[in-house]
Amino acid sequence: MTRANMRKAAVGEQVAGAISADAEELIARPRLAEELPQSHEPSLAERYDWLEAMINHVPDYIYAKDLEGRFLFANKAIVLNNGLERVEDMVGLTDYDLHPSAAAESIAAIERRVMESGEPDLGFEERRLRGSGWLMMSRVPLRDKAGKVIGVVGASRDISARKRGESLMKAQAHLLKAVAKGVRLEPFLSDAANLLEEVIPGTAAAVLLHDEGAQELYIAAASPSAGAASISPVDILDHPAWTCLAISSGDGAQHGVLAIRGSTDHEASVWEFLTGVAQTIGIAIDRHYDAERITFLAEHDALTGLPNRTLLDRKLDGMLRRADKTSRKVAVVFLDVDNFKLVNDSLGHAAGDELLKIVARRISEEIGQDNLISRIGGDEFILALQQADEDFVSQLARIREAIARPLTLAGMDLQLTCSMGIACFAMHGKTATELFANADMAMYRVKENGRNGIQMFDPAMAENARRKLGRSEELRRAVERDEFVLHFQPQKDMNSGEIIGVEALVRWNHPTDGVIFPGDFIPLAEESGLIVPIGEAVLRKACGQAKEWQKQGLPPVKIGVNMSARQFQEHGMIRQVAAALAESGLEPRWLEIEVTESLLMRDVQGAIMKMHELNALGVSLAIDDFGTGYSSLSTLKRFPLSRLKIDRSFITDIPDDADDMAITSAIVSLARMLELDVIAEGVETEEQARFLSQAGCHAIQGYLFSRPIPAEEMTRVMRGRS
């Protein structure tokens, strides 16, 4: 037997015979002899060869040492890691022969503790002896057959991949935490680039993002080793040493790329980590842009990009404080685009939005840098102007001219007008709230006067507004107290002289002001919405009075009731009419609902549907103030009408106005052609009555016959002519 084999046999016998129960989990004693035929008894050297072959196939590092720290055995993995070729080269050596003294002393100290205490040391992590990885090291006492400790057995597992994975996960968690906290974008990108260089040794990183025009890439951040100061984005993209990973946005577009310089043979987990970092950077950029957008929208109008009311209030407050100190003039202007709803309804909301952007741009171009413009909703804008060489009215005249420049929208040529109201600091108010309110009042005065104008606030407007507000409150109480009464104006057939109908006209019996006529409160009722309960009360009272006359034995006549646009458009209007008829017991044929021509033309199809529903109840319909609207003959014949009422404006100047006479004659002819009854309103003279009779209109209503009178007086008139 050679000396090497003799040494191997001796070591094998010592190790195999001395391994204790504690060490058996690391080096299993072979039991192959029990499975072999009885005729073959393996030698100790054979058993050692088997043991060595098995242990050499284990990737972990396994060794045994004596009490002096000399290697008794080492598997192939640890031999190669220490730069040796054969186990024989390692047997008899100590760690001091293989490693620096500090590392050797650390290893020896642990092993001495294990041998002296007889207790194992499990799960200890330390840097790999050669290289930069990590080992998980376990040591157990090496005992002889008698249980005496004669050395130490060690096993180490390479956990470098696990530690690297943990490092990558920690880095990813750090970036995600930063995103969740909403850090500023530039420091975040720099931290991300530096972090990549730290966790992946030998790597340089750079973040390349698109500029605002999304045309070119620029280096937004880079790690120190990237050399960002001396390299351009083009160099990075074209250089084979750099690998680029897409930084995607939430909408599927691309913010830019994450560029990595270094080895490209990283394991899959590293590339997965880098891809995740690129995605995290994309999320951070999205969040940054979203935060910027949210901050912008908090103080700006989303459609036009103009400051909203919040930003206007803040900036105007500062403007007014400076004006108060310097006595500089400031004007607040309310600007409203005229007939914007018509554009919106006819061309669509998309066209309406585009129109508002055009208006916003035109105003912005005219007001200059020192002034403010804000869109506060719909087609309303507020301007805050500071004193300049040009007076405020002249500035606004230029703005109005700019808005009025022709434009084409949705294939249609348009020319806009606007209404503007001005309130000046401190003449018309010392606070933003006062100036807003007064400029708004001035703007509505322009609307009332026909639009397309500029109006300076007048204190009388505030007084009118207060009076209007007080009147509105009185009107609300009047509805609650039922202060409305009806007067009735008879309608006469000139051929027979008989009363063929009456029109119910509402009056407000004010507790202190006396009887108030419709012209003084109906517009306010329309504006406040009180016209609906007032109209319902009028309808109920009119039906009740008509039935009362019938109960008194008077000949039945149709009673006409005016219905406002607001009341006619109510969803429950048909139910209101049916309820009034049922409550009074009046037959539907004796009720005539009067609606204006302009009301019907607002929504022709909807009006026709409701008119048919009223006809189905048995109620007849008349067009009041006919001739003042815009209905065509083709539209008019679609309405289920029973009568036309010629507006008093065409009667007043008869017989002096030839045009009015011609129009009136045409209306009478039209009514005959459509097989409709016709009645003329506002007849005050015999000449007017005579002309109407000759034109074929025999039914009249007006002061020539009777003024509107209370129910009691109307009863006497009807009795006298029955």
Side-chain angles (χ1 to χ4, degrees), residues 249-320:
S249 63
D251 59 5
Q254 189 170 316
H255 290 304
V257 295
L258 171 62
I260 305 296
R261 186 185 67 196
S263 175
T264 59
D265 60 354
H266 294 303
E267 56 197 67
S269 61
V270 174
W271 286 113
E272 185 177 341
F273 163 73
L274 291 172
T275 302
V277 170
Q279 292 173 344
T280 303
I281 291 174
I283 294 170
I285 296 171
D286 284 340
R287 184 185 177 100
H288 170 74
Y289 288 156
D290 289 344
E292 283 190 336
R293 181 66 175 163
I294 290 169
T295 301
F296 180 82
L297 291 179
E299 294 189 328
H300 292 80
D301 171 49
L303 177 65
T304 62
L306 295 176
N308 61 14
R309 183 65 176 269
T310 301
L311 183 56
L312 173 69
D313 287 345
R314 179 161 57 82
K315 289 195 172 184
L316 180 59
D317 185 58
M319 190 183 290
L320 295 181

Side-chain angles (χ1 to χ4, degrees), residues 1-13 44-45:
M1 180 180 296
T2 65
R3 179 179 296 180
N5 288 337
M6 290 175 63
R7 187 170 59 176
K8 288 171 60 178
V11 172
E13 182 177 6
L44 187 59

Side-chain angles (χ1 to χ4, degrees), residues 135-399:
L135 296 176
M136 177 176 282
M137 308 184 75
S138 301
R139 283 91 163 188
V140 298
L142 178 65
R143 301 176 187 271
D144 61 14
K145 292 182 179 181
K148 180 182 177 182
V149 176
I150 61 171
V152 66
V153 174
S156 302
R157 174 161 293 176
D158 187 346
I159 58 170
S160 301
R162 192 195 81 188
K163 296 293 281 188
R164 184 164 54 252
E166 291 174 355
S167 176
L168 297 181
M169 289 180 64
K170 186 177 180 181
Q172 181 78 337
H174 174 78
L175 294 177
L176 289 172
K177 185 177 180 180
V179 171
K181 288 173 62 178
V183 297
R184 291 186 299 119
L185 184 60
E186 290 183 8
F188 171 82
L189 296 178
S190 295
D191 288 347
N194 295 339
L195 187 63
L196 292 181
E197 185 172 339
E198 291 175 12
V199 299
I200 309 175
T203 293
V207 179
L208 281 61
L209 299 181
H210 289 293
D211 58 18
E212 291 184 1
Q215 298 298 320
E216 296 183 355
L217 289 169
Y218 68 96
I219 299 178
S223 63
S225 298
S230 60
I231 193 168
S232 70
V234 174
D235 292 335
I236 291 176
L237 294 173
D238 293 341
H239 202 289
W242 289 87
T243 301
C244 294
L245 302 172
I247 300 175
S248 300
S249 63
D251 59 5
Q254 189 170 316
H255 290 304
V257 295
L258 171 62
I260 305 296
R261 186 185 67 196
S263 175
T264 59
D265 60 354
H266 294 303
E267 56 197 67
S269 61
V270 174
W271 286 113
E272 185 177 341
F273 163 73
L274 291 172
T275 302
V277 170
Q279 292 173 344
T280 303
I281 291 174
I283 294 170
I285 296 171
D286 284 340
R287 184 185 177 100
H288 170 74
Y289 288 156
D290 289 344
E292 283 190 336
R293 181 66 175 163
I294 290 169
T295 301
F296 180 82
L297 291 179
E299 294 189 328
H300 292 80
D301 171 49
L303 177 65
T304 62
L306 295 176
N308 61 14
R309 183 65 176 269
T310 301
L311 183 56
L312 173 69
D313 287 345
R314 179 161 57 82
K315 289 195 172 184
L316 180 59
D317 185 58
M319 190 183 290
L320 295 181
R321 283 200 305 270
R322 290 191 297 273
D324 190 40
K325 292 178 181 178
T326 60
S327 299
R328 191 178 185 183
K329 292 181 180 179
V330 172
V332 170
V333 182
F334 262 56
L335 185 154
D336 187 90
V337 180
D338 296 331
N339 299 312
F340 173 72
K341 187 176 184 301
L342 181 61
V343 174
N344 227 17
D345 292 344
S346 57
L347 300 182
H349 290 284
D353 288 348
E354 184 60 30
L355 179 65
L356 291 174
K357 290 188 218 176
I358 293 172
V359 171
R361 186 166 59 250
R362 290 182 175 183
I363 298 173
S364 299
E365 290 169 353
E366 295 294 332
I367 66 170
Q369 295 289 334
D370 295 333
N371 300 316
L372 297 175
I373 172 177
S374 169
R375 176 175 176 246
I376 59 173
D379 59 333
E380 294 182 336
F381 298 84
I382 295 180
L383 284 62
L385 307 178
Q386 299 188 82
Q387 184 181 21
D389 296 336
E390 189 178 24
D391 63 85
F392 292 132
V393 173
S394 298
Q395 288 183 62
L396 295 179
R398 281 193 297 100
I399 291 172

Side-chain angles (χ1 to χ4, degrees), residues 601-655:
M601 295 308 296
R602 290 185 182 183
D603 177 12
V604 172
Q605 200 56 44
I608 292 173
M609 183 178 68
K610 289 193 173 183
M611 293 171 78
H612 278 297
E613 290 183 72
L614 289 170
N615 277 168
L617 288 178
V619 174
S620 57
L621 291 152
I623 288 189
D624 195 15
D625 301 336
F626 184 76
T628 60
Y630 302 96
S631 60
S632 63
L633 181 59
S634 62
T635 302
L636 186 63
K637 70 180 182 179
R638 297 170 60 193
F639 296 138
L641 300 167
S642 58
R643 181 155 59 168
L644 300 182
K645 298 188 75 174
I646 304 173
D647 185 67
R648 65 180 64 246
S649 62
F650 299 118
I651 306 300
T652 300
D653 293 330
I654 292 175

Side-chain angles (χ1 to χ4, degrees), residues 397-409:
R398 281 193 297 100
I399 291 172
R400 187 169 63 148
E401 290 173 3
I403 292 174
R405 290 199 301 266
L407 60 93
T408 301
L409 194 66

